[in-house]
């Protein structure tokens, strides 16, 4: 991916409602894409990754993401938010042969979950 | 250890002092990354090491910043003559490459630097 755009800097949902975190990418080829989660004062942890196998990717903690080439999107979803999902989420693209160690990070989306 | 280890976890220093931050990657991971995360901000790429190749230093913000990786393992990020704007969390990550494939990125918990 040559660029990765997370469309929302902050998303707020109520506990038990669906979560949608949006990510768009630009690439001249089919990229590898990842979602990472960062809980407060922690490092980043891989949620899931897409590497040109199945377009619907299931990750940890009930999250999943669908690669849609026609829309150049890789949105992260979860059917029912839990309080423990409150964290920052980063969409990351593989930039084969590019700089920055071949990885392009989105700017992050902070997810708040209200009781 | 099983994961990426960073030290110190917290560092408070006075403006103008030099600091060293250490990263011990997962054994066998040839790729090592340093990122900076300022309060409420995303990740800012600093430097990337891959095997014996020359490091990609394109993200280092000034010549006060330098990094080395000894023996393809442990890396040290050095900030000379620290400034208050250097205050941030410095994250290290590593991953492995094999036969043209890349593995997931594993992150340490970061070193929080505060410059007074």
């Amino acid at each position: 991916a040559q660029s990765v755009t997370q469309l929302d800097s902050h998303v707020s949902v109520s506990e038990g409602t669906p979560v949608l975190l949006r990510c768009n990418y630009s690439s001249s080829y089919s990229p590898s894409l990842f979602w990472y989660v960062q809980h407060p004062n922690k490092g980043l942890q891989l949620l899931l990754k897409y590497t040109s196998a199945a377009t619907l990717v299931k990750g940890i903690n009930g999250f999943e993401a669908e690669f849609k080439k026609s829309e150049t999107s890789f949105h992260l979803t979860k059917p029912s938010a839990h309080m423990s999902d409150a964290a920052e989420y980063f969409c990351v693209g593989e930039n084969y042969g590019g700089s920055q160690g071949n990885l392009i990070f989105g700017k992050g989306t902070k997810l708040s979950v209200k009781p | 250890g099983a994961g990426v280890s960073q030290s110190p976890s917290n560092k408070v220093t006075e403006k103008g002092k030099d600091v060293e931050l250490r990263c011990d990657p997962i054994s066998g991971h040839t790729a090592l990354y340093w990122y900076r995360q300022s309060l409420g901000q995303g990740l800012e790429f600093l430097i990337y090491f891959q095997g014996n190749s020359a490091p990609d230093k394109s993200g280092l913000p000034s010549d006060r910043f330098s990094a080395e990786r000894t023996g393809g393992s442990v890396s040290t990020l050095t900030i000379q003559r620290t400034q208050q704007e250097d205050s941030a969390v410095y994250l290290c990550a590593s991953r492995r490459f094999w036969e043209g494939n890349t593995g997931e990125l594993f992150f340490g918990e970061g070193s929080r630097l505060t410059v007074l």
Side-chain angles (χ1 to χ4, degrees), chain A residues 22-42:
Chain A
R22 298 182 295 165
C23 174
N24 282 82
Y25 69 91
S26 72
S27 179
S28 53
Y29 44 78
S30 186
S32 293
L33 295 163
F34 310 81
W35 275 100
Y36 283 82
V37 60
Q38 184 181 32
H39 290 279
N41 301 313
K42 296 289 187 183

Side-chain angles (χ1 to χ4, degrees), chain A residues 36 38 41 94 100-101 105, chain B residues 33 37 56 95 105 112:
Chain A
Y36 283 82
Q38 184 181 32
N41 301 313
E94 188 88 45
Q100 303 193 2
F105 278 76
Chain B
Y33 303 72
Q37 188 173 33
D56 177 356
R95 65 173 176 168
L105 206 56
R112 181 177 297 278

Side-chain angles (χ1 to χ4, degrees), chain B residues 71-89:
Chain B
S73 181
V74 172
S75 176
T76 302
L77 177 69
T78 301
I79 309 172
Q80 295 178 309
R81 304 181 302 281
T82 52
Q83 304 294 312
Q84 288 182 331
E85 60 263 28
D86 299 334
S87 296
V89 175

Side-chain angles (χ1 to χ4, degrees), chain B residues 93-104:
Chain B
S94 71
R95 65 173 176 168
R96 69 182 183 111
F97 283 73
W98 74 103
E99 298 176 353
N101 293 304
T102 54
E104 70 174 270

Side-chain angles (χ1 to χ4, degrees), chain A residues 28-92:
Chain A
S28 53
Y29 44 78
S30 186
S32 293
L33 295 163
F34 310 81
W35 275 100
Y36 283 82
V37 60
Q38 184 181 32
H39 290 279
N41 301 313
K42 296 289 187 183
L44 280 71
Q45 178 187 17
L46 181 70
L47 271 180
L48 51 81
K49 63 180 178 181
Y50 166 77
T51 55
S52 76
T55 56
L56 182 62
V57 183
K58 293 189 184 298
I60 62 172
N61 301 334
F63 283 94
E64 62 182 37
E66 186 172 6
F67 175 76
K68 291 187 176 180
K69 187 174 181 179
S70 60
E71 299 176 10
T72 62
S73 69
F74 189 58
H75 301 335
L76 182 70
T77 60
K78 183 173 180 177
S80 177
H82 191 272
M83 295 297 292
S84 62
D85 295 327
E88 184 124 29
Y89 293 79
F90 292 93
C91 183
V92 185

Side-chain angles (χ1 to χ4, degrees), chain B residues 43-64:
Chain B
L43 270 68
E44 176 188 5
F45 169 80
L46 296 178
I47 189 168
Y48 163 66
F49 297 90
Q50 165 53 18
N52 295 321
S53 302
D56 177 356
K57 304 179 181 180
S58 60
L60 294 178
S62 76
D63 58 9
R64 296 186 296 104

